Amino acid sequence: MLDADFFRRWMAATAASVEREADHLTELDSAIGDADHGSNLQRGFTAVTAAVGKDAPATPGAVLTLAGRQLISTVGGASGPLYGTLLRRTGKALGEEAEVTPDQFAQAFAAGVAAVGQLGGAQAGDKTMLDALLPAAQALGSSFEGAANAARAGAEATVPLQARKGRASYLGERSIGHQDPGATSAALLVEALARTAADGGGA
Amino acid sequence: MKMLINVPETVVADALRGMAAAHPELTVDVDNRIVVRRDAPVAGKVGLVSGGGSGHEPLHAGFVGPGMLSAACPGEVFTSPVPDQMVRAAAAVDSGAGVLFVVKNYTGDLLNFAMAAELAEDEGVQVAQVVVDDDVAVSDSTFTAGRRGTGATLFVEKIAGAAADEGAPLERVTALARQVNGASRSFGVALSAVTTPAKGSPTFDLPPGELELGIGIHGEPGRERRSMMTSGEIADFAVNAVLEDLRPTGPVLALVNGMGATPLLELYGFNAEVQRVLSERGVPVARTLVGNYVTSLDMAGCSVTLCQVDEELLRLWDAPVRTAALRWGC
């Protein structure tokens, strides 16, 4: 079973990952975007960690909805609403249970990913964060480790794609050959999830 | 890269503090990142709120004041503001006549303004929205996020702002804003890449002998790279790209806009070439504005925006305006 503490640790692990990889994300973003993806997410997840620590939400759903709201209020750009929606909708789908099964979480996460697709109007293959999130959501039913691998593979598979959404889409064919920064940060989020589960509490 | 900054994290807040000191006629809320005209809310007047990433100064905060915007929400550099800012701004300027959000067509701006509209309406503010998408360098919206909003933002904010100040109702102000956007097209050229404070080095590599055609205002590379051209050749390319799409049948407003690091000496020279091309193509120019208005930090280069105007749009363009960056007739 997964409790609120598990989700707090997931958010902390994501914040640490984003902090460590901020320069890399920004570097990827400077190739096909505007060179701020790393610093924007860093600002957001720093706020998430602070809020989750201060308010100490008692349920998995409350942790994720609070985290999502923080991202919407602090990140800006497209990543703020999209990541914010992912976590908020996942949290809402978890309801008010004190503990959830990995299966319940997998279903909620899939609902969150679907909400991201709806908000951004993107599909698989558009070279966006969905290219990591969709395979991750599918694999999450089996294992956290599988989800992390699927997300990483999905992010790497964005390299040969031509962007059709977001700022990278303005480059047309020149976006080909670069890994999508949004898919890369989405993979970090799912990898942090798998690490949190591996570190205990995710059985 | 040398910049006149303390640390990248406080660039926007520092600029707002400096703006507040220079412009006591504005209310600048540095913590919440909102710039509001001092006399807001003005009884019976539609509020005009815009915003977007910082780094495009004087857009948008420089256009706050009588005759133009009621409030502006600056985001982080090249990053859309967050909904909280827009909701606060809407509440600050709403007199009960409603608020128009002027939104440039970028995914981040669209999403955050959409969320803000929902929240503001929950608080009882009537909200309408116009999306500015004038950049002809982006053509096929099936394979892109759609045309970027660039120079036409200034035309929309000025003309809709004048109508709002005359007391036009929200539907009318919104319709005029949409009319201006529909009648406007832009094309931009970069001679150098932009350096953002967060990154500290140019966002793309542009060799000395080359230029980028069809750039946006966020330091993103353009659609095509060529060997450096003369001012006249660039004007031919940019104006023809705009005219091919706009096909004006009457007089136009012309904006010759600097991207931040191109001196007025060059911009005025470039304007001479723009006027030559327009004259050769038989397009009468009603008014011309030359300067740095919709910029991209330290990018060198320029953009051309044309807006076909009728008598009413021209009258609203000429109406008095009193803002930090645009000021006439008063």
Side-chain angles (χ1 to χ4, degrees), chain B residues 5-19:
Chain B
I5 63 170
N6 294 313
V7 290
E9 291 74 24
T10 63
V11 163
V12 177
D14 292 345
L16 287 177
R17 286 191 293 116
M19 190 170 195

Side-chain angles (χ1 to χ4, degrees), chain A residues 34 36 40 73 77 167 169-170 174, chain B residues 78-79 84 112 145-146 212 222:
Chain A
D34 57 359
D36 61 6
N40 284 344
S73 294
R167 229 167 256 172
S169 70
Y170 301 129
R174 293 168 77 181
Chain B
F78 293 169
T79 300
D84 311 38
N112 285 285
E212 289 264 349

Side-chain angles (χ1 to χ4, degrees), chain B:
Chain B
M1 185 67 204
K2 287 187 282 189
M3 284 187 186
L4 202 57
I5 63 170
N6 294 313
V7 290
E9 291 74 24
T10 63
V11 163
V12 177
D14 292 345
L16 287 177
R17 286 191 293 116
M19 190 170 195
H23 296 284
E25 72 277 16
L26 296 171
T27 304
V28 180
D29 180 343
V30 178
D31 290 336
N32 293 309
R33 299 194 179 185
I34 313 168
V35 178
V36 184
R37 62 183 268 185
R38 177 68 80 184
D39 56 355
V42 181
K45 188 186 108 59
V46 167
L48 225 69
V49 174
S50 193
S54 292
H56 307 303
E57 290 71 22
L59 186 81
H60 294 275
F63 300 145
V64 173
M68 216 162 163
L69 291 179
S70 313
C73 314
E76 285 295 321
V77 171
F78 293 169
T79 300
S80 114
V82 299
D84 311 38
Q85 291 170 265
M86 302 150 186
V87 173
R88 279 205 177 86
V93 305
D94 182 38
S95 68
V99 172
L100 175 65
F101 284 165
V102 180
V103 186
K104 298 189 300 307
N105 189 33
Y106 298 99
T107 312
D109 292 280
L110 293 177
L111 296 183
N112 285 285
F113 270 104
M115 290 191 166
E118 220 177 291
L119 295 170
E121 277 171 354
D122 285 350
E123 290 180 12
V125 180
Q126 194 191 350
V127 177
Q129 175 177 287
V130 58
V131 176
V132 182
D133 58 349
D134 54 312
D135 183 2
V136 299
V138 183
S139 49
D140 189 346
S141 66
T142 318
F143 297 102
T144 67
R147 286 179 167 177
R148 296 175 284 219
T150 59
T153 316
L154 183 151
F155 290 154
V156 170
E157 291 176 358
K158 170 67 185 77
I159 289 172
D165 262 40
E166 286 181 355
L170 184 58
E171 305 79 66
R172 180 70 190 136
V173 176
T174 307
L176 277 163
R178 292 196 176 130
Q179 185 189 342
V180 172
N181 178 59
S184 300
R185 301 285 190 280
S186 296
F187 191 89
V189 174
L191 309 183
S192 74
V194 56
T195 299
T196 61
K199 184 153 186 280
S201 57
T203 54
F204 61 93
D205 179 45
L206 186 54
E210 299 183 358
L211 83 169
E212 289 264 349
L213 296 167
I215 48 107
I217 55 173
H218 293 101
E220 61 266 51
R223 302 257 300 182
E224 195 184 331
R225 185 168 288 192
R226 290 200 185 180
S227 295
M228 192 54 201
M229 298 151 74
T230 65
S231 175
E233 288 165 346
I234 296 171
D236 276 313
F237 195 97
V239 175
N240 284 328
V242 169
L243 290 181
E244 225 166 80
D245 208 280
L246 183 62
R247 299 182 186 283
T249 53
V252 297
L253 302 175
L255 168 63
V256 170
N257 174 60
M259 300 308 297
T262 292
L264 276 172
L265 178 76
E266 293 173 43
L267 290 180
Y268 276 119
F270 180 66
N271 182 47
E273 299 296 337
V274 167
Q275 303 289 327
R276 168 187 60 78
V277 182
L278 288 169
S279 151
E280 284 169 7
R281 298 286 302 264
V283 178
V285 180
R287 303 285 183 274
T288 302
L289 189 62
V290 179
N292 293 287
Y293 291 106
V294 183
T295 62
S296 186
L297 290 173
D298 64 340
M299 186 187 271
C302 59
S303 61
V304 177
T305 306
L306 302 179
C307 173
Q308 184 177 331
V309 286
D310 56 22
E311 267 178 35
E312 184 177 25
L313 294 193
L314 193 56
R315 182 183 66 77
L316 291 166
W317 175 256
D318 286 338
V321 57
R322 201 165 73 246
T323 69
L326 211 61
R327 196 179 281 248
W328 60 66
C330 59

